[in-house]
Amino acid sequence: MNRLCDSMEPKVMDDDMLKLAVGEQGPQEEAGQLAKQEGILFKDVLSLQLDFRNILRIDNLWQFENLRKLQLDNNIIEKIEGLENLTHLVWLDLSFNNIETIEGLDTLVNLEDLSLFNNRISKIDSLDALVKLQVLSLGNNQIDNMMNIVYLRRFKCLRTLSLSGNPISEAEDYKMFICAYLPDLVYLDFRRIDDHTKELAEAKHQYSIDELKHRENLMQVRLQDERAQQEELEKHKTAFVEHLNGSFLFDSMYAEDSEGNKLSYLPGVSELLEAYKDKFVIICVNIFEYGLKQQEKRKIELDTFSECVHEAIQENQEQGKCKIAQFEEKHLSSLSAIQEESELPNIEKMILECSADVSELFNKLMMLEMQLVEQLEETINMFERNIVDMVGLFIENVQSLMAQCRDLENHHHEKLLEISISTLEKIVKGDLDEDLPDDLRALFVDKDTIVNAVGASHDIHLLKIDNREDELVTRINSWCTRLVDKIHKDEIMRNRKRVKEINQYIDHMQSELDNLEYSDILD
């Protein structure tokens, strides 16, 4: 499959090759010469042609972050790689290489035209991220399974497909199969598909297509359900109460509790365990519902704060614009008066007055900014107090509910211990009527063994409860700290930016005055 001269050594895609290619393809006129002297930034290159260069491996393209068209055909490339940063790529030509597997395209979400013509590819896959794909050229490869066509149904924008020269193109039903399974296709193997062919193909494969559509619909419904569940879970995570709207925490306590699972077969424990679980789950659901309500309150508090900040900044900016407009109206009038004045002393006096007006504007704008800083500082501090209090109250109430979970666990532990010791006494006396599983009976060697087993189960349960509580408290405290820190930092950056804007504007106005040439005025 290698079409280059065997005597040629494989070449490396280094900076020298890339600079040479960019230089060769750049403008050749005066602008091009200037670009060569000053250097061309790779990030500014939109199209790159690297064909017929005996390249073995794709490398060093990360700097071409805005590249839209890449030509790598007629090389000896064996693997698709090194394209991760080329997220703006629209057109990619990898034809006439030695590629065996489609891979390395996961980040190319904007790709519309892909050519892998004349390679060694045997399977069409790993193109899922290419949601905008319109043209796909896979002719002269080794694709031999017609079911590869079904994979292409997910690409809703695909209009042009080339598969000639593959083993599947020799199949008797090749064209009809593709037309039936890809009904939106316009061109197949460089020929337009006519409506009559589409109708015949649909009729021939109607039963299979209907069955496939049914499966696809079921899959789509399942994916939508999974997406909805994931969105709901993210909402619960935002409230820090995920997996507390059911028996997840309770089930997790027994997931790694081998002793507890054995003890559940003791006479009377099943009923005890069921009652324990019911009460435990009720508390978890209470935490969950309380958490969602508190999250909504925190959201309202944050939205109200953001709105207040936005309104304060907007009002302040309007005041600033008004003062600047008033200044500029007077300033333009003063400049006109200076232009008309012929006496130098009067001109100097007028320029000084203009300079004083500039200084006065600076003071007014800075005063406005200082007022805004004080206003926002008060608003931020009030928000910080409110959000910290809300988080503190939430934690306090959650800890209280978690304490109830521990109380239930302690009560269950005491009852389980009573039943276990009572069972041990019956075994010792030979009064136990029920048959116990062998692994459970092995625990009833003596009192210490059974007490240790019950205690180990109890410790696991308490640890699970403690860990879930600690996780919740840690996460919401971290969230609160990050939020408040970000708000303070954002205000500092806003203030710095605004002061810089004021200084730049004032410096510009003052510079204009300083650069007035008396001779020009007098002329």
Side-chain angles (χ1 to χ4, degrees):
M1 185 108 15
N2 180 3
R3 289 149 301 281
L4 301 185
C5 179
D6 292 336
S7 62
M8 290 179 63
E9 288 292 327
K11 292 186 180 177
V12 179
M13 285 180 65
D14 55 17
D15 277 359
D16 291 337
M17 175 189 286
L18 296 173
K19 287 176 182 176
L20 180 62
V22 170
E24 289 174 348
Q25 296 157 43
Q28 302 302 316
E29 63 275 9
E30 184 178 345
Q33 297 302 318
L34 182 62
K36 287 182 180 180
Q37 291 174 13
E38 296 181 352
I40 301 173
L41 294 175
F42 286 172
K43 70 180 184 65
D44 296 331
V45 176
L46 300 180
S47 178
L48 184 61
Q49 187 174 336
L50 293 166
D51 54 337
F52 293 99
R53 295 177 189 257
N54 222 39
I55 296 169
L56 176 62
R57 181 183 174 192
I58 305 171
D59 202 1
N60 285 310
L61 291 176
W62 60 271
Q63 301 172 81
F64 293 84
E65 55 191 66
N66 292 307
L67 198 65
R68 293 176 60 84
K69 182 176 180 180
L70 177 59
Q71 195 167 337
L72 285 165
D73 59 284
N74 289 281
N75 286 292
I76 52 174
I77 296 167
E78 297 178 350
K79 183 177 182 181
I80 306 174
E81 58 186 341
L83 304 176
E84 297 81 8
N85 292 328
L86 309 186
T87 54
H88 295 287
L89 211 59
V90 175
W91 190 93
L92 175 61
D93 188 354
L94 284 163
S95 56
F96 294 98
N97 279 288
N98 299 327
I99 298 166
E100 296 183 359
T101 304
I102 300 175
E103 59 187 334
L105 303 172
D106 295 340
T107 61
L108 308 188
V109 295
N110 291 300
L111 200 64
E112 297 176 4
D113 191 317
L114 173 62
S115 178
L116 289 162
F117 186 85
N118 218 98
N119 277 280
R120 298 173 178 174
I121 296 165
S122 59
K123 183 179 181 182
I124 307 175
D125 64 356
S126 302
L127 295 170
D128 298 39
L130 279 54
V131 293
K132 297 182 180 180
L133 192 64
Q134 298 177 21
V135 179
L136 178 61
S137 176
L138 282 164
N140 282 17
N141 276 282
Q142 298 172 9
I143 300 164
D144 58 3
N145 189 338
M146 198 72 81
M147 295 312 293
N148 280 271
I149 305 304
V150 178
Y151 170 77
L152 295 175
R153 285 174 61 83
R154 69 191 65 198
F155 301 100
K156 304 304 180 184
C157 299
L158 187 64
R159 296 294 179 267
T160 301
L161 177 65
S162 168
L163 286 167
S164 60
N166 284 279
I168 59 169
S169 67
E170 303 299 322
E172 181 180 349
D173 199 32
Y174 166 71
K175 186 175 182 179
M176 286 293 179
F177 188 92
I178 292 177
C179 291
Y181 280 82
L182 302 178
D184 295 324
L185 208 61
V186 178
Y187 295 95
L188 174 62
D189 297 333
F190 312 107
R191 291 176 179 269
R192 188 175 181 87
I193 304 170
D194 60 82
D195 293 338
H196 180 62
T197 301
K198 287 185 178 182
E199 290 172 3
L200 290 176
E202 184 180 357
K204 183 175 183 180
H205 292 274
Q206 183 175 1
Y207 177 78
S208 299
I209 294 295
D210 288 344
E211 187 178 350
L212 178 60
K213 284 181 178 178
H214 177 67
R215 291 202 304 271
E216 287 175 343
N217 289 335
L218 291 177
M219 178 66 73
Q220 186 63 28
V221 170
R222 194 183 80 185
L223 289 174
Q224 289 174 350
D225 288 343
E226 289 176 357
R227 195 176 299 117
Q229 290 174 10
Q230 187 59 38
E231 290 174 358
E232 193 71 9
L233 177 60
E234 292 303 317
K235 178 183 174 184
H236 299 166
K237 285 182 177 179
T238 304
F240 310 102
V241 291
E242 70 277 10
H243 302 310
L244 287 173
N245 55 331
S247 62
F248 181 86
L249 180 56
F250 186 89
D251 296 339
S252 72
M253 296 191 316
Y254 282 88
E256 301 169 7
D257 180 15
S258 58
E259 307 292 27
N261 286 313
K262 294 174 187 176
L263 292 167
S264 65
Y265 289 97
L266 283 174
V269 172
S270 177
E271 296 80 2
L272 180 69
L273 196 58
E274 186 176 345
Y276 173 33
K277 181 175 182 177
D278 290 343
K279 293 175 182 177
F280 193 97
V281 170
I282 288 172
I283 296 173
C284 288
V285 171
N286 286 339
I287 295 173
F288 173 79
E289 292 176 349
Y290 175 66
L292 292 185
K293 289 177 182 177
Q294 289 301 302
Q295 165 60 16
E296 186 60 30
K297 288 182 179 180
R298 291 193 296 271
K299 183 180 182 300
I300 292 171
E301 182 71 22
L302 181 56
D303 290 345
T304 303
F305 163 76
S306 299
E307 187 177 342
C308 288
V309 169
H310 178 71
E311 288 178 358
I313 293 173
Q314 285 289 100
E315 183 181 349
N316 189 274
Q317 287 178 346
E318 290 301 320
Q319 292 178 14
K321 288 177 182 177
C322 184
K323 293 187 183 300
I324 289 173
Q326 291 171 356
F327 162 80
E328 288 184 344
E329 183 180 357
K330 181 181 177 183
H331 187 67
L332 288 173
S333 176
S334 299
L335 289 179
S336 297
I338 291 172
Q339 295 284 350
E340 294 172 1
E341 181 58 52
S342 59
E343 297 294 329
L344 184 58
N346 291 339
I347 293 174
E348 290 176 342
K349 181 182 177 183
M350 294 168 74
I351 290 176
L352 285 174
E353 288 174 353
C354 285
S355 183
D357 290 341
V358 171
S359 297
E360 184 182 357
L361 176 64
F362 174 76
N363 292 333
K364 287 179 179 178
L365 293 177
M366 290 302 293
M367 181 62 70
L368 274 177
E369 177 58 21
M370 287 174 64
Q371 291 172 355
L372 179 60
V373 167
E374 291 176 359
Q375 182 181 355
L376 293 182
E377 184 179 2
E378 184 179 344
T379 303
I380 290 170
N381 289 339
M382 183 181 297
F383 170 77
E384 183 176 353
R385 286 193 297 272
N386 290 346
I387 203 73
V388 168
D389 288 345
M390 292 175 75
V391 168
L393 180 63
F394 174 63
I395 290 173
E396 183 180 336
N397 288 330
V398 166
Q399 288 176 330
S400 175
L401 289 167
M402 284 292 188
Q404 293 180 30
C405 289
R406 277 187 284 271
D407 289 342
L408 283 176
E409 169 56 31
N410 290 333
H411 177 73
H412 176 75
H413 169 66
E414 292 172 2
K415 292 294 184 182
L416 181 60
L417 190 58
E418 288 178 10
I419 293 173
S420 298
I421 292 175
S422 174
T423 303
L424 177 63
E425 292 173 351
K426 289 180 181 180
I427 290 174
V428 171
K429 295 178 181 178
D431 294 339
L432 187 68
D433 297 330
E434 295 86 349
D435 289 331
L436 300 180
D438 292 341
D439 56 349
L440 175 58
R441 185 174 286 274
L443 296 176
F444 289 88
V445 178
D446 52 40
K447 186 175 181 180
D448 286 344
T449 303
I450 192 60
V451 167
N452 289 337
V454 176
S457 173
H458 181 50
D459 290 342
I460 289 174
H461 298 176
L462 289 178
L463 183 62
K464 287 286 185 180
I465 296 170
D466 291 346
N467 286 345
R468 185 61 182 92
E469 179 184 325
D470 290 343
E471 180 198 14
L472 186 151
V473 171
T474 300
R475 280 172 53 206
I476 192 168
N477 276 330
S478 297
W479 169 83
C480 185
T481 300
R482 287 196 305 271
L483 175 64
V484 171
D485 286 348
K486 183 179 184 304
I487 289 171
H488 282 292
K489 288 177 182 176
D490 287 348
E491 168 53 16
I492 290 171
M493 296 305 295
R494 184 209 63 78
N495 172 245
R496 289 176 178 172
K497 181 181 178 183
R498 180 56 178 163
V499 169
K500 184 178 179 180
E501 288 173 352
I502 294 172
N503 279 310
Q504 286 177 338
Y505 179 76
I506 296 298
D507 288 346
H508 172 69
M509 300 308 296
Q510 189 61 52
S511 178
E512 279 189 343
L513 288 174
D514 294 341
N515 292 333
L516 280 175
E517 294 289 343
Y518 295 158
S519 59
D520 293 343
I521 296 170
L522 292 175
D523 288 343

